[in-house]
Amino acid sequence: QSALTQPASVSGSPGQSITISCTGTSGDVGDYDVVSWYQQHPGKAPKLMLYEVTKRPSGVSDRFTGSKSGNTASLTISGLRADDEADYYCSSYAGHTNYVFGSGTSVTVL
Amino acid sequence: QVQLQQSGPGLVKPSETLSLTCTVSGDSFKSYYWSWIRQRPGKGLEWLGYIFHSASPSYNPSLKTRVTISVDTSKNQVSLNLTSVTAADTAVYYCASTEGGLFEYFHYWGQGTLVTVST
């Protein structure tokens, strides 16, 4: 199972909005509305930011929003802040009890 | 709040078995599926498999022949065994709660254990 495709890096200035894409196939992202997103700061465990494409766990800021169209899911961070600088990974069910993660995107706050 | 504490050796010799344990605090152990996920140096995340306390585990097809995940409900522990390790198995290993209708998202994570495969 190949990793989902994400841009290697995305950057933005404080207060701006950025969007990270996550492209899969009809066998994973396209077939299931269960994309999740994780934020990972250096040396730390990933943190769940969104699940089932658009849902936020308790405690996650509403600056983080998700969407999906066809085989591509997206994470948008609005009102970019310095502590949003981290790596972000998407994930999806890939059928046959298998799960696939994205290649990861490094977000830089300029 | 669900808390996960991982334990196990940080160094394993090639061809030997990697063994890690994840201890879950509180009363949530029987409420969730539990996954093991790894992250190789400078790489992305890879799901290894999951287990529920009263069901058979499921594994990543690419590692199925080498991975075993088990539970000890008396200790609220989930264990990972990975046999015949090579340098390619050097990674940070995480345990995580697994939720959703397709058990597709990973909510609570352990602190991670860096396992290096080397002589």
Side-chain angles (χ1 to χ4, degrees):
Chain A
Q1 185 71 35
S2 299
L4 306 176
T5 300
Q6 298 180 231
S9 62
V10 173
S11 62
S13 299
Q16 287 187 331
S17 294
I18 61 169
T19 296
I20 303 168
S21 61
C22 169
T23 300
T25 69
S26 58
D28 40 61
V29 174
D31 265 359
Y32 306 99
D33 289 333
V34 294
V35 175
S36 52
W37 289 90
Y38 303 85
Q39 176 192 66
Q40 186 178 34
H41 287 107
K44 300 294 187 182
K47 175 187 176 182
L48 177 67
M49 304 303 284
L50 293 173
Y51 64 99
E52 293 173 6
V53 181
T54 61
K55 298 178 181 178
R56 280 184 301 275
S58 175
V60 172
S61 170
D62 60 4
R63 297 185 300 106
F64 293 84
T65 57
S67 64
K68 195 191 90 165
S69 178
N71 295 339
T72 298
S74 298
L75 167 69
T76 297
I77 309 174
S78 305
L80 199 61
R81 299 173 15 170
D83 59 354
D84 296 330
E85 187 161 293
D87 293 332
Y88 291 83
Y89 294 92
C90 59
S91 178
S92 175
Y93 181 63
H96 306 292
T97 315
N98 197 12
Y99 304 85
V100 61
F101 286 91
S103 47
T105 298
S106 177
V107 169
T108 301
V109 181
L110 302 171
Chain B
Q1 183 76 355
V2 179
Q3 292 187 320
L4 290 72
Q5 181 67 39
Q6 297 178 217
S7 58
L11 182 64
V12 181
K13 290 182 169 57
S15 80
E16 295 190 346
T17 297
L18 178 161
S19 296
L20 297 173
T21 298
C22 175
T23 303
V24 182
S25 64
D27 299 327
S28 57
F29 186 74
K30 292 184 178 180
S31 302
Y32 297 103
Y33 279 63
W34 303 100
S35 286
W36 285 96
I37 295 162
R38 71 180 180 181
Q39 185 170 32
R40 289 183 248 195
K43 302 290 187 182
L45 299 158
E46 180 180 28
W47 177 77
L48 304 182
Y50 67 44
I51 193 167
F52 190 61
H53 70 94
S54 60
S56 299
S58 293
Y59 301 122
N60 185 322
S62 67
L63 292 164
K64 188 173 184 177
T65 59
R66 298 198 294 130
V67 174
T68 302
I69 297 174
S70 59
V71 296
D72 183 337
T73 54
S74 68
K75 297 180 180 178
N76 282 8
Q77 290 181 338
V78 186
S79 294
L80 169 72
N81 278 356
L82 181 65
T83 61
S84 304
V85 297
T86 69
D89 295 309
T90 293
V92 177
Y93 288 77
Y94 296 99
C95 57
S97 68
T98 305
E99 303 174 43
L102 294 172
F103 312 108
E104 77 283 354
Y105 66 91
F106 312 101
H107 194 166
Y108 302 103
W109 293 67
Q111 80 275 21
T113 301
L114 173 61
V115 178
T116 301
V117 178
S118 175
T119 56

